Amino acid sequence: MDIVTLGTAAASAAAKKAGETFGERLLSAAGAARRAFVDRAVVSLRLGFEEYLKSSYVRCRYFKTVLNPYEPADLEETYVGLELNDPSTGMVIKDSDLFKNFKNGEYIVVTGLAGSGKSMLMRYLTISSFDSLESGTPLYVELRKINDYESKDLIEFILKECSQKVRGVTKPQFELALRSQLFNLVLAGFDELEYEHRDQLSQQIVDLERDYPGIRVIVSSRPDNDRFRSWSSYKVYKVEEFSKDQARSLIRKTRYNEGVKERFLQALESRLFKSHQTFLASPLLTTIMLLTFEEYAEIPTKMHAFYARAFDTLFQKHDADKDQYVRKLKTILPKEDFKLLLSTFCAMSYLEQKFSFSRDAARRTAKAAITYSKQISESISEVLEDDFVCDLTDAVCMLQPDGLDLVFVHRSFQEYFSAVFIEKSHGTRVYSLLNKFSHRFSDSVVGMSLDMAREKVEAEWVIPNIDYYVQKLSRKNGRRDAGSILSSMLTNAQIHTNGNQVHFSFYDLDAKELGPIETICTIYPNQLGSTILIECLKDLSIEEVQSKILNPNYSKRPGYSNWASLFDNKKDAPTITIDISKKDNWWLNALGLNGCLDVLIEKLQSLKKEIKQREEARQEIMEYFI
């Protein structure tokens, strides 16, 4: 009997156990007066959720990897415990402590960079929760799937996703179950939501506490500090980097050629951890390092070169059970043409913020990628979209099945190949593409593009954006309308006190206006640091803000009374929300935004000068040889 069959049996037992708790919990919450409604709800929930709980358990426990995309791995056997940092205290806790906090009712956000292990943590939390259902039955929900729903109602989406195989569960019945704390919500991948819907979904997640008191909620995402800071009831934890011991443990638990594993572990001990610690700090990259080590024995130090070698390995990967049998491509394309087509497919899907596909959607994107790419290479003109999608799943393993959908084996591959597409692009297209890519400024597309084609990216995107922002942010005739500048990039500010600090959280960020400057600051940390437009408004002390804002000279200014209420000691941690506009110039200036913008402009101009000097130095050298 294979491991998935055994897992399905375990899932059936877990689903049955969960169903047995439904009636008791609902009755205790609803009372006898609603007995008939509750009885119907119990039957509907058992029928409607049993199949989902089975499939959810199996999907969370068994997964495919780039090391062996043809045989599922068992998470219970391969999971390596993570550590998490609590930024509010600086303390580091184990994931087992996080799980306890979740079961005890703590609202939690888990953040981490690509490949840090947060997805595996969410899955492991789900399957381990089936062992003890006293605190509720886990509903593992991949938030990216709501992108394909017309309605962005979170509860309706979860209900449809979790009871899709059997009709009959009504929204009132499901809401009763949530109010009865029958279910816990494990919401994976907030960062995979389309940007324009994040604010709406963010508010719905925050409102869960109010609408369903006592419900347990945990959310995973790439870092989005300004947003999560405003989720006042949620504790935000950051996944810590892998230690050497954790990297060793992961390799030992991974099902792979034992000889290769042993040689890799020896290299890790003798030199790799010292030379590639940043890669080994990530579970995903550690796994890919093992894959490329088998073929090349040495590991590149640049991230884009690392992914390029990983693709080369996957492209020519031999089936382990077939001596030197190379898995043939249906598209019959040479590697460079296949890479061109794949990079186009990735860039197009990334532009549409598509991280998973129905089979039909994958074929449509493939068809568009083929139509585009055959204008560059004639050999692509005969490729069929079905063959290309098949090669992506079966031959190079960039996509893998997830239920009825296809998903990238990891989103970081989509980002790398989008950067490859930039490397091959020219002219105004580079500017337009990178501006669009920068909307997701926590991703790595632009950073890898800079590493791969620095001269092009700096000349065609960085410099034009520096000129744009310097003009946009500068004083005009000695004056600056800071409120209008800020309101063009974000809609409002939510401000609250916590301890001795005043916290500013910003909603409705305009990714089109804010994305490029945020990204430029990210990819030039030495020149710009973490400076962003609103950096000077973060975490000021109460005394500092009071002394600057509660000035009698400002008492007639718009919004002054709101500020006064913020520091009213009679109120319990009040929060004020301000729709930023020109009328807010007085307090923005009082808190130092003008000075902050002047510093940012100076840094941007200095960066432009540095880029120009490097460009002139290159030209001078080439002129000598020409």
Side-chain angles (χ1 to χ4, degrees):
M1 187 178 293
D2 62 66
I3 60 172
V4 177
T5 302
L6 288 170
T8 303
S12 296
K16 182 179 179 182
K17 181 180 176 183
E20 291 170 353
T21 69
F22 288 179
E24 182 181 345
R25 279 182 172 271
L26 290 179
L27 283 172
S28 63
R34 304 181 68 194
R35 180 61 185 260
F37 173 76
V38 171
D39 286 342
R40 289 194 299 272
V42 171
V43 173
S44 295
L45 290 167
R46 282 178 176 168
L47 292 175
F49 281 88
E50 184 174 3
E51 286 302 312
Y52 167 78
L53 293 175
K54 290 180 188 177
S55 62
S56 175
Y57 182 92
V58 171
R59 189 168 70 253
C60 288
R61 182 169 171 178
Y62 301 102
F63 62 101
K64 305 272 184 75
T65 70
V66 291
L67 290 174
N68 190 352
Y70 310 110
E71 184 178 353
D74 186 341
L75 186 60
E76 285 203 335
E77 296 177 358
T78 59
Y79 181 73
V80 175
L82 299 177
E83 294 186 336
L84 303 104
N85 182 275
D86 177 358
S88 65
T89 64
M91 295 181 62
V92 175
I93 66 170
K94 294 183 180 299
D95 54 6
S96 56
D97 296 319
L98 180 88
F99 297 166
K100 289 177 184 176
N101 293 345
F102 173 65
K103 289 181 180 179
N104 289 334
E106 185 173 275
Y107 293 90
I108 294 173
V109 176
V110 174
T111 67
L113 299 177
S116 62
K118 57 187 181 296
S119 295
M120 291 298 108
L121 180 145
M122 297 288 274
R123 291 182 177 206
Y124 192 75
L125 167 63
T126 300
I127 63 174
S128 61
S129 295
F130 277 98
D131 294 333
S132 176
L133 297 172
E134 289 81 7
S135 56
T137 301
L139 295 182
Y140 180 80
V141 181
E142 293 170 294
L143 289 174
R144 61 178 163 77
K145 295 184 177 180
I146 201 173
N147 293 332
D148 297 324
Y149 280 76
E150 183 176 350
S151 169
K152 303 306 175 187
D153 184 304
L154 179 63
I155 297 303
E156 286 185 2
F157 160 69
I158 295 173
L159 175 58
K160 288 178 181 177
E161 277 295 301
C162 298
S163 61
Q164 56 187 348
K165 292 190 177 181
V166 179
R167 297 179 180 178
V169 181
T170 66
K171 188 175 181 181
Q173 290 171 340
F174 183 50
E175 290 184 316
L176 172 62
L178 294 177
R179 286 193 297 272
S180 305
Q181 300 170 33
L182 189 62
F183 295 121
N184 299 327
L185 299 183
V186 183
L187 307 179
F190 180 87
D191 57 293
E192 295 185 37
L193 290 170
E194 292 176 355
Y195 200 92
E196 58 266 32
H197 302 308
R198 288 191 191 180
D199 293 325
Q200 179 183 357
L201 272 299
S202 173
Q203 190 58 54
Q204 291 183 60
I205 292 172
V206 171
D207 289 343
L208 289 171
E209 178 192 14
R210 179 200 66 197
D211 297 337
Y212 312 102
I215 189 175
R216 291 165 177 80
V217 183
I218 184 169
V219 182
S220 68
S221 176
R222 293 191 188 186
D224 192 346
N225 295 334
D226 286 324
R227 182 182 304 279
F228 297 138
R229 186 196 300 267
S230 69
W231 293 15
S232 55
S233 295
Y234 283 75
K235 192 75 169 286
V236 181
Y237 295 91
K238 177 180 175 292
V239 176
E240 288 280 277
E241 294 182 348
F242 248 28
S243 66
K244 184 193 289 189
D245 286 343
Q246 288 172 310
R248 280 195 296 248
S249 178
L250 178 64
I251 296 302
R252 289 194 180 101
K253 290 184 175 185
T254 297
R255 299 178 65 185
Y256 204 61
N257 181 284
E258 291 298 324
V260 175
K261 284 167 57 175
E262 188 58 37
R263 291 194 297 275
F264 182 78
L265 286 169
Q266 291 174 1
L268 185 152
E269 195 65 43
S270 63
R271 69 182 191 279
L272 281 183
F273 194 80
K274 183 177 181 180
S275 61
H276 289 73
Q277 186 171 352
T278 54
F279 287 2
L280 289 161
S282 159
L284 173 72
L285 298 185
T286 298
T287 303
I288 297 176
M289 281 182 72
L290 175 62
L291 177 74
T292 59
F293 183 84
E294 179 182 10
E295 298 290 329
Y296 299 100
E298 291 299 330
I299 310 296
T301 55
K302 286 282 190 179
M303 188 67 74
H304 68 87
F306 178 75
Y307 277 105
R309 185 160 290 180
F311 169 74
D312 289 345
T313 303
L314 290 168
F315 190 84
Q316 62 194 30
K317 185 72 176 167
H318 294 163
D319 244 345
D321 297 329
K322 301 172 185 174
D323 294 341
Q324 299 304 302
Y325 168 76
V326 179
R327 183 170 293 275
K328 296 186 183 301
L329 297 174
K330 287 192 171 186
T331 52
I332 323 176
L333 288 174
K335 184 177 70 176
E336 288 308 312
D337 280 344
F338 191 91
K339 192 171 184 178
L340 165 64
L341 186 51
L342 174 56
S343 68
T344 307
F345 178 90
C346 288
M348 287 177 170
S349 58
Y350 189 83
L351 285 167
E352 293 184 322
Q353 300 190 64
K354 293 291 185 185
F355 311 115
S356 64
F357 312 85
S358 66
R359 298 275 176 173
D360 286 342
R363 283 192 288 267
R364 284 194 299 271
T365 305
K367 184 177 181 179
I370 292 167
T371 303
Y372 178 92
S373 299
K374 71 182 182 183
Q375 312 303 321
I376 302 172
S377 175
E378 290 184 2
S379 64
I380 295 176
S381 60
E382 301 301 320
V383 172
L384 301 176
E385 54 263 32
D386 281 332
D387 288 345
F388 178 59
V389 172
C390 184
D391 284 347
L392 289 182
T393 55
D394 294 343
V396 299
C397 308
M398 285 291 106
L399 296 178
Q400 62 183 16
D402 179 33
L404 298 176
D405 292 336
L406 295 173
V407 299
F408 282 98
V409 65
H410 197 274
R411 268 184 56 206
S412 56
F413 279 103
Q414 184 189 25
E415 293 174 23
Y416 163 68
F417 282 107
S418 295
V420 171
F421 186 81
I422 290 292
E423 184 186 23
K424 306 297 184 184
S425 300
H426 300 282
T428 56
R429 184 185 301 149
V430 173
Y431 181 80
S432 301
L433 283 169
L434 286 177
N435 267 0
K436 189 71 180 288
F437 288 163
S438 70
H439 293 183
R440 302 183 63 87
F441 40 79
S442 64
D443 290 356
S444 56
V445 177
V446 181
M448 281 196 281
S449 299
L450 183 69
D451 270 350
M452 295 162 69
R454 178 172 291 272
E455 187 173 2
K456 177 196 300 184
V457 171
E458 288 186 332
E460 299 181 22
W461 184 73
V462 177
I463 293 295
N465 267 301
I466 288 178
D467 291 341
Y468 171 78
Y469 284 105
V470 166
Q471 181 181 15
K472 180 181 181 67
L473 304 177
S474 292
R475 299 172 187 260
K476 307 295 188 296
N477 300 319
R479 299 175 63 84
R480 178 191 283 123
D481 183 359
S484 294
I485 290 173
L486 209 58
S487 67
S488 70
M489 299 182 178
L490 47 91
T491 301
N492 59 52
Q494 189 178 83
I495 306 161
H496 67 277
T497 58
N498 184 10
N500 190 42
Q501 299 294 117
V502 178
H503 294 294
F504 293 78
S505 302
F506 298 91
Y507 287 112
D508 300 329
L509 303 181
D510 187 328
K512 181 179 179 181
E513 283 293 325
L514 197 57
I517 187 65
E518 285 270 19
T519 304
I520 289 172
C521 290
T522 299
I523 61 179
Y524 291 100
N526 295 331
Q527 295 89 338
L528 299 173
S530 60
T531 303
I532 57 174
L533 297 181
I534 51 183
E535 187 69 25
C536 65
L537 301 182
K538 291 184 176 180
D539 297 335
L540 298 172
S541 70
I542 289 178
E543 291 78 9
E544 188 177 3
V545 176
Q546 280 181 314
S547 66
K548 293 178 177 180
I549 298 295
L550 300 187
N551 185 320
N553 294 331
Y554 295 141
S555 60
K556 302 297 184 182
R557 300 293 176 91
Y560 179 87
S561 59
N562 287 334
W563 280 100
S565 71
L566 184 70
F567 305 111
D568 186 348
N569 293 328
K570 297 177 182 178
K571 294 187 176 181
D572 182 23
T575 298
I576 61 173
T577 300
I578 298 175
D579 295 324
I580 297 176
S581 66
K582 186 173 184 177
K583 63 181 174 54
D584 296 296
N585 280 336
W586 69 274
W587 66 265
L588 290 169
N589 293 337
L591 293 180
L593 184 64
N594 262 319
C596 182
L597 295 182
D598 288 338
V599 170
L600 179 56
I601 289 169
E602 184 180 338
K603 288 183 176 182
L604 289 171
Q605 290 173 327
S606 177
L607 174 60
K608 178 181 176 179
K609 182 179 179 181
E610 179 186 323
I611 292 172
K612 287 290 188 182
Q613 287 174 341
R614 283 192 272 107
E615 179 184 357
E616 291 168 2
R618 291 194 300 269
Q619 289 178 348
E620 186 177 332
I621 294 170
M622 289 308 300
E623 285 294 331
Y624 171 81
F625 287 99
I626 292 172

